[in-house]
PDB file of all heavy atoms in Angstrom:
ATOM      1  N   ILE A 807      -4.215  12.207  15.973  1.00 98.00           N
ATOM      2  CA  ILE A 807      -4.679  11.724  17.272  1.00 98.00           C
ATOM      3  C   ILE A 807      -4.606  12.902  18.231  1.00 98.00           C
ATOM      4  O   ILE A 807      -3.536  13.457  18.478  1.00 98.00           O
ATOM      5  CB  ILE A 807      -3.838  10.535  17.778  1.00 98.00           C
ATOM      6  CG1 ILE A 807      -4.110   9.286  16.917  1.00 98.00           C
ATOM      7  CG2 ILE A 807      -4.203  10.213  19.221  1.00 98.00           C
ATOM      8  CD1 ILE A 807      -3.364   9.247  15.612  1.00 98.00           C
ATOM      9  N   ARG A 808      -5.761  13.312  18.802  1.00 97.00           N
ATOM     10  CA  ARG A 808      -5.880  14.579  19.503  1.00 97.00           C
ATOM     11  C   ARG A 808      -6.585  14.423  20.847  1.00 97.00           C
ATOM     12  O   ARG A 808      -7.331  15.299  21.282  1.00 97.00           O
ATOM     13  CB  ARG A 808      -6.611  15.591  18.611  1.00 97.00           C
ATOM     14  CG  ARG A 808      -7.756  15.007  17.838  1.00 97.00           C
ATOM     15  CD  ARG A 808      -8.375  15.921  16.811  1.00 97.00           C
ATOM     16  NE  ARG A 808      -8.996  17.074  17.423  1.00 97.00           N
ATOM     17  CZ  ARG A 808      -8.665  18.332  17.178  1.00 97.00           C
ATOM     18  NH1 ARG A 808      -7.709  18.613  16.331  1.00 97.00           N
ATOM     19  NH2 ARG A 808      -9.294  19.318  17.766  1.00 97.00           N
ATOM     20  N   VAL A 809      -6.344  13.298  21.515  1.00 98.00           N
ATOM     21  CA  VAL A 809      -7.033  13.009  22.772  1.00 98.00           C
ATOM     22  C   VAL A 809      -6.389  13.686  23.964  1.00 98.00           C
ATOM     23  O   VAL A 809      -7.021  13.840  25.009  1.00 98.00           O
ATOM     24  CB  VAL A 809      -7.093  11.474  22.998  1.00 98.00           C
ATOM     25  CG1 VAL A 809      -5.699  10.913  23.242  1.00 98.00           C
ATOM     26  CG2 VAL A 809      -8.017  11.108  24.146  1.00 98.00           C
ATOM     27  N   SER A 810      -5.153  14.139  23.840  1.00 98.00           N
ATOM     28  CA  SER A 810      -4.327  14.450  24.997  1.00 98.00           C
ATOM     29  C   SER A 810      -4.374  15.907  25.423  1.00 98.00           C
ATOM     30  O   SER A 810      -4.487  16.814  24.588  1.00 98.00           O
ATOM     31  CB  SER A 810      -2.862  14.079  24.700  1.00 98.00           C
ATOM     32  OG  SER A 810      -2.772  12.735  24.281  1.00 98.00           O
ATOM     33  N   ASP A 811      -4.247  16.145  26.732  1.00 98.00           N
ATOM     34  CA  ASP A 811      -3.874  17.466  27.224  1.00 98.00           C
ATOM     35  C   ASP A 811      -2.492  17.808  26.684  1.00 98.00           C
ATOM     36  O   ASP A 811      -1.677  16.911  26.426  1.00 98.00           O
ATOM     37  CB  ASP A 811      -3.780  17.470  28.756  1.00 98.00           C
ATOM     38  CG  ASP A 811      -5.125  17.380  29.450  1.00 98.00           C
ATOM     39  OD1 ASP A 811      -6.146  17.174  28.778  1.00 98.00           O
ATOM     40  OD2 ASP A 811      -5.139  17.508  30.695  1.00 98.00           O
ATOM     41  N   VAL A 812      -2.207  19.105  26.542  1.00 98.00           N
ATOM     42  CA  VAL A 812      -0.827  19.460  26.227  1.00 98.00           C
ATOM     43  C   VAL A 812       0.020  19.095  27.445  1.00 98.00           C
ATOM     44  O   VAL A 812      -0.301  19.457  28.576  1.00 98.00           O
ATOM     45  CB  VAL A 812      -0.684  20.951  25.883  1.00 98.00           C
ATOM     46  CG1 VAL A 812      -1.012  21.858  27.045  1.00 98.00           C
ATOM     47  CG2 VAL A 812       0.714  21.240  25.351  1.00 98.00           C
ATOM     48  N   PRO A 813       1.081  18.315  27.275  1.00 97.00           N
ATOM     49  CA  PRO A 813       1.880  17.902  28.424  1.00 97.00           C
ATOM     50  C   PRO A 813       2.630  19.071  29.073  1.00 97.00           C
ATOM     51  O   PRO A 813       2.887  20.103  28.441  1.00 97.00           O
ATOM     52  CB  PRO A 813       2.860  16.889  27.833  1.00 97.00           C
ATOM     53  CG  PRO A 813       2.134  16.321  26.649  1.00 97.00           C
ATOM     54  CD  PRO A 813       1.419  17.530  26.072  1.00 97.00           C
ATOM     55  N   ALA A 814       2.986  18.857  30.329  1.00 95.00           N
ATOM     56  CA  ALA A 814       3.682  19.898  31.085  1.00 95.00           C
ATOM     57  C   ALA A 814       5.094  20.117  30.573  1.00 95.00           C
ATOM     58  O   ALA A 814       5.649  21.203  30.734  1.00 95.00           O
ATOM     59  CB  ALA A 814       3.716  19.530  32.571  1.00 95.00           C
ATOM     60  N   ASN A 815       5.712  19.112  29.967  1.00 95.00           N
ATOM     61  CA  ASN A 815       7.075  19.274  29.462  1.00 95.00           C
ATOM     62  C   ASN A 815       7.209  18.553  28.127  1.00 95.00           C
ATOM     63  O   ASN A 815       6.400  17.677  27.777  1.00 95.00           O
ATOM     64  CB  ASN A 815       8.103  18.750  30.475  1.00 95.00           C
ATOM     65  CG  ASN A 815       7.813  17.315  30.881  1.00 95.00           C
ATOM     66  OD1 ASN A 815       7.890  16.408  30.064  1.00 95.00           O
ATOM     67  ND2 ASN A 815       7.481  17.097  32.147  1.00 95.00           N
ATOM     68  N   THR A 816       8.222  18.922  27.378  1.00 97.00           N
ATOM     69  CA  THR A 816       8.380  18.367  26.036  1.00 97.00           C
ATOM     70  C   THR A 816       8.761  16.894  26.052  1.00 97.00           C
ATOM     71  O   THR A 816       8.463  16.174  25.098  1.00 97.00           O
ATOM     72  CB  THR A 816       9.430  19.163  25.245  1.00 97.00           C
ATOM     73  OG1 THR A 816      10.679  19.172  25.952  1.00 97.00           O
ATOM     74  CG2 THR A 816       8.964  20.598  25.018  1.00 97.00           C
ATOM     75  N   SER A 817       9.391  16.424  27.134  1.00 98.00           N
ATOM     76  CA  SER A 817       9.719  15.006  27.223  1.00 98.00           C
ATOM     77  C   SER A 817       8.460  14.151  27.181  1.00 98.00           C
ATOM     78  O   SER A 817       8.426  13.091  26.537  1.00 98.00           O
ATOM     79  CB  SER A 817      10.497  14.718  28.510  1.00 98.00           C
ATOM     80  OG  SER A 817      11.744  15.370  28.509  1.00 98.00           O
ATOM     81  N   ASP A 818       7.401  14.627  27.845  1.00 98.00           N
ATOM     82  CA  ASP A 818       6.154  13.874  27.831  1.00 98.00           C
ATOM     83  C   ASP A 818       5.432  14.003  26.491  1.00 98.00           C
ATOM     84  O   ASP A 818       4.709  13.087  26.093  1.00 98.00           O
ATOM     85  CB  ASP A 818       5.250  14.335  28.975  1.00 98.00           C
ATOM     86  CG  ASP A 818       5.719  13.802  30.322  1.00 98.00           C
ATOM     87  OD1 ASP A 818       6.547  12.873  30.339  1.00 98.00           O
ATOM     88  OD2 ASP A 818       5.252  14.313  31.360  1.00 98.00           O
ATOM     89  N   THR A 819       5.611  15.113  25.788  1.00 98.00           N
ATOM     90  CA  THR A 819       5.050  15.215  24.447  1.00 98.00           C
ATOM     91  C   THR A 819       5.739  14.236  23.507  1.00 98.00           C
ATOM     92  O   THR A 819       5.091  13.588  22.681  1.00 98.00           O
ATOM     93  CB  THR A 819       5.177  16.648  23.902  1.00 98.00           C
ATOM     94  OG1 THR A 819       4.554  17.569  24.803  1.00 98.00           O
ATOM     95  CG2 THR A 819       4.500  16.779  22.546  1.00 98.00           C
ATOM     96  N   VAL A 820       7.043  14.108  23.625  1.00 98.00           N
ATOM     97  CA  VAL A 820       7.776  13.122  22.813  1.00 98.00           C
ATOM     98  C   VAL A 820       7.297  11.713  23.143  1.00 98.00           C
ATOM     99  O   VAL A 820       7.057  10.894  22.242  1.00 98.00           O
ATOM    100  CB  VAL A 820       9.291  13.249  23.036  1.00 98.00           C
ATOM    101  CG1 VAL A 820      10.035  12.113  22.346  1.00 98.00           C
ATOM    102  CG2 VAL A 820       9.799  14.595  22.530  1.00 98.00           C
ATOM    103  N   LEU A 821       7.141  11.411  24.433  1.00 98.00           N
ATOM    104  CA  LEU A 821       6.646  10.096  24.848  1.00 98.00           C
ATOM    105  C   LEU A 821       5.285   9.818  24.208  1.00 98.00           C
ATOM    106  O   LEU A 821       5.038   8.724  23.678  1.00 98.00           O
ATOM    107  CB  LEU A 821       6.555  10.036  26.373  1.00 98.00           C
ATOM    108  CG  LEU A 821       5.889   8.801  26.981  1.00 98.00           C
ATOM    109  CD1 LEU A 821       6.675   7.542  26.658  1.00 98.00           C
ATOM    110  CD2 LEU A 821       5.738   8.972  28.497  1.00 98.00           C
ATOM    111  N   LEU A 822       4.389  10.790  24.290  1.00 98.00           N
ATOM    112  CA  LEU A 822       3.069  10.645  23.679  1.00 98.00           C
ATOM    113  C   LEU A 822       3.187  10.354  22.189  1.00 98.00           C
ATOM    114  O   LEU A 822       2.551   9.418  21.673  1.00 98.00           O
ATOM    115  CB  LEU A 822       2.263  11.928  23.898  1.00 98.00           C
ATOM    116  CG  LEU A 822       0.999  12.084  23.061  1.00 98.00           C
ATOM    117  CD1 LEU A 822      -0.055  11.085  23.483  1.00 98.00           C
ATOM    118  CD2 LEU A 822       0.472  13.515  23.148  1.00 98.00           C
ATOM    119  N   ALA A 823       3.969  11.135  21.470  1.00 98.00           N
ATOM    120  CA  ALA A 823       4.068  10.982  20.017  1.00 98.00           C
ATOM    121  C   ALA A 823       4.650   9.632  19.633  1.00 98.00           C
ATOM    122  O   ALA A 823       4.198   8.996  18.665  1.00 98.00           O
ATOM    123  CB  ALA A 823       4.918  12.112  19.437  1.00 98.00           C
ATOM    124  N   VAL A 824       5.640   9.182  20.375  1.00 98.00           N
ATOM    125  CA  VAL A 824       6.255   7.884  20.095  1.00 98.00           C
ATOM    126  C   VAL A 824       5.238   6.757  20.295  1.00 98.00           C
ATOM    127  O   VAL A 824       5.145   5.821  19.489  1.00 98.00           O
ATOM    128  CB  VAL A 824       7.491   7.690  20.989  1.00 98.00           C
ATOM    129  CG1 VAL A 824       7.940   6.237  21.006  1.00 98.00           C
ATOM    130  CG2 VAL A 824       8.630   8.590  20.508  1.00 98.00           C
ATOM    131  N   LEU A 825       4.442   6.845  21.370  1.00 98.00           N
ATOM    132  CA  LEU A 825       3.420   5.825  21.615  1.00 98.00           C
ATOM    133  C   LEU A 825       2.330   5.872  20.544  1.00 98.00           C
ATOM    134  O   LEU A 825       1.856   4.822  20.090  1.00 98.00           O
ATOM    135  CB  LEU A 825       2.808   6.021  22.999  1.00 98.00           C
ATOM    136  CG  LEU A 825       3.669   5.580  24.173  1.00 98.00           C
ATOM    137  CD1 LEU A 825       3.070   6.067  25.491  1.00 98.00           C
ATOM    138  CD2 LEU A 825       3.788   4.043  24.195  1.00 98.00           C
ATOM    139  N   VAL A 826       1.924   7.068  20.155  1.00 98.00           N
ATOM    140  CA  VAL A 826       0.899   7.191  19.117  1.00 98.00           C
ATOM    141  C   VAL A 826       1.388   6.591  17.807  1.00 98.00           C
ATOM    142  O   VAL A 826       0.664   5.840  17.132  1.00 98.00           O
ATOM    143  CB  VAL A 826       0.489   8.663  18.947  1.00 98.00           C
ATOM    144  CG1 VAL A 826      -0.291   8.852  17.641  1.00 98.00           C
ATOM    145  CG2 VAL A 826      -0.333   9.132  20.135  1.00 98.00           C
ATOM    146  N   ARG A 827       2.625   6.919  17.415  1.00 98.00           N
ATOM    147  CA  ARG A 827       3.142   6.332  16.172  1.00 98.00           C
ATOM    148  C   ARG A 827       3.210   4.815  16.270  1.00 98.00           C
ATOM    149  O   ARG A 827       2.876   4.106  15.309  1.00 98.00           O
ATOM    150  CB  ARG A 827       4.514   6.908  15.830  1.00 98.00           C
ATOM    151  CG  ARG A 827       5.081   6.294  14.550  1.00 98.00           C
ATOM    152  CD  ARG A 827       6.258   7.049  13.990  1.00 98.00           C
ATOM    153  NE  ARG A 827       7.447   6.998  14.826  1.00 98.00           N
ATOM    154  CZ  ARG A 827       8.634   7.474  14.458  1.00 98.00           C
ATOM    155  NH1 ARG A 827       8.779   8.042  13.265  1.00 98.00           N
ATOM    156  NH2 ARG A 827       9.666   7.408  15.271  1.00 98.00           N
ATOM    157  N   ALA A 828       3.611   4.309  17.434  1.00 98.00           N
ATOM    158  CA  ALA A 828       3.677   2.857  17.606  1.00 98.00           C
ATOM    159  C   ALA A 828       2.286   2.227  17.515  1.00 98.00           C
ATOM    160  O   ALA A 828       2.123   1.124  16.977  1.00 98.00           O
ATOM    161  CB  ALA A 828       4.325   2.524  18.946  1.00 98.00           C
ATOM    162  N   LEU A 829       1.268   2.921  18.035  1.00 98.00           N
ATOM    163  CA  LEU A 829      -0.104   2.422  17.907  1.00 98.00           C
ATOM    164  C   LEU A 829      -0.533   2.370  16.442  1.00 98.00           C
ATOM    165  O   LEU A 829      -1.163   1.394  15.999  1.00 98.00           O
ATOM    166  CB  LEU A 829      -1.060   3.321  18.691  1.00 98.00           C
ATOM    167  CG  LEU A 829      -1.189   3.054  20.187  1.00 98.00           C
ATOM    168  CD1 LEU A 829      -1.942   4.205  20.858  1.00 98.00           C
ATOM    169  CD2 LEU A 829      -1.920   1.733  20.435  1.00 98.00           C
TER     170      LEU A 829
END
Side-chain angles (χ1 to χ4, degrees):
I807 290 81
R808 40 188 295 121
V809 67
S810 306
D811 288 7
V812 64
N815 54 65
T816 57
S817 296
D818 285 345
T819 304
V820 172
L821 172 63
L822 166 69
V824 165
L825 285 169
V826 165
R827 179 166 67 173
L829 277 168

